[in-house]
Amino acid sequence: DLEPRQRARYLGLMHEQTRNMHRLVDDLLALSALESEHNPPHDGEFAVVPLLLQVSADAKALSRGEHEVTLDVGAAAGITGDRGEIASAFGNLVSNAVRYTPPGGTIRLAWRVDPDGTGVFAVTDTGIGIAPEHIPRLTERFYRVDRGRSRNTGGTGLGLAIVKHVLIRHQAELEIRSDPGVGSTFAVRIPARRVHRASAP
């Protein structure tokens, strides 16, 4: 027995909390699958450029025009690995950059192949940054740098844990550099044996 405005407000809150729970359950299921020894990655070779274009488009959609999002593809290449898992890892890094970069900021996505054949996907933002003491623990599940801030951004606290386990399954590494108030760079380094340079431009 509520006024229409009150009813709409409460239903809106219920809907928001249901979506949050749905994201949390999805992330927990994804993490459980990644940790399972009975669920090895489905390795196949895929072109990295279409994946990068997809991730860039997702970043722009999530930003809703509030950030400048750029993509720099230094070298076309193929990757041997599970495309869905790699896409999930890249996507989590990009969504974090959007969430923690204030409106008007810049998010740069870049891909390159180093001289030793290592493939590097880097996400650089002009966001709020992370203090050095937090960086070693960022990939722990549910670890929060600032609980209030994380709650406001709508994250589940599992994104970087998912990234970590995807990279472990692909013998890849995550490098993090950050300066509070300046921004952060999260770089995925994929081993050369999984990266194949494209023969054509």
Side-chain angles (χ1 to χ4, degrees):
D1 187 17
L2 298 171
E3 295 179 2
R5 183 179 299 178
Q6 286 180 307
R7 184 182 300 114
R9 176 173 174 271
Y10 290 134
L11 287 173
L13 290 171
M14 292 166 63
H15 181 60
E16 180 182 350
Q17 293 303 318
T18 301
R19 285 188 305 178
N20 290 343
M21 184 62 71
H22 190 271
R23 284 196 297 267
L24 179 59
V25 170
D26 281 349
D27 281 356
L28 283 169
L29 290 172
L31 193 55
S32 176
L34 291 170
E35 292 176 330
S36 173
E37 297 178 358
H38 305 292
N39 183 36
H42 301 290
D43 279 358
E45 185 170 344
F46 60 91
V48 73
V49 172
L51 174 57
L52 297 173
L53 293 173
Q54 172 192 327
V55 169
S56 176
D58 291 345
K60 292 174 181 176
L62 186 60
S63 168
R64 293 180 293 187
E66 294 184 347
H67 310 87
E68 179 185 359
V69 180
T70 65
L71 172 62
D72 177 21
V73 181
I79 295 176
T80 298
D82 188 312
R83 189 186 190 280
E85 291 185 10
I86 296 292
S88 173
F90 287 8
N92 272 303
L93 295 179
V94 168
S95 64
N96 277 353
V98 173
R99 286 193 182 103
Y100 294 110
T101 300
T106 300
I107 298 166
R108 293 190 290 112
L109 316 180
W111 165 265
R112 70 177 189 271
V113 179
D114 285 347
D116 66 358
T118 301
V120 181
F121 173 68
V123 180
T124 302
D125 63 56
T126 57
I128 56 181
I130 306 158
E133 63 268 23
H134 294 294
I135 290 178
R137 300 190 60 190
L138 286 180
T139 57
E140 295 178 13
R141 59 177 67 194
F142 300 119
Y143 183 75
R144 301 292 201 182
V145 173
D146 181 329
R147 291 184 181 276
R149 184 176 67 192
S150 298
R151 190 180 301 113
N152 291 337
T153 63
T156 63
L158 293 171
L160 288 177
I162 289 173
V163 172
K164 178 182 75 172
H165 284 283
V166 168
L167 300 190
I168 288 173
R169 287 159 65 89
H170 291 81
Q171 302 82 49
E173 299 175 350
L174 178 64
E175 295 180 348
I176 305 172
R177 299 192 308 275
S178 188
D179 293 308
V182 177
S184 307
T185 297
F186 287 74
V188 172
R189 298 183 60 83
I190 301 173
R193 63 182 176 277
R194 287 185 173 272
V195 179
H196 317 284
R197 292 179 183 271
S199 57

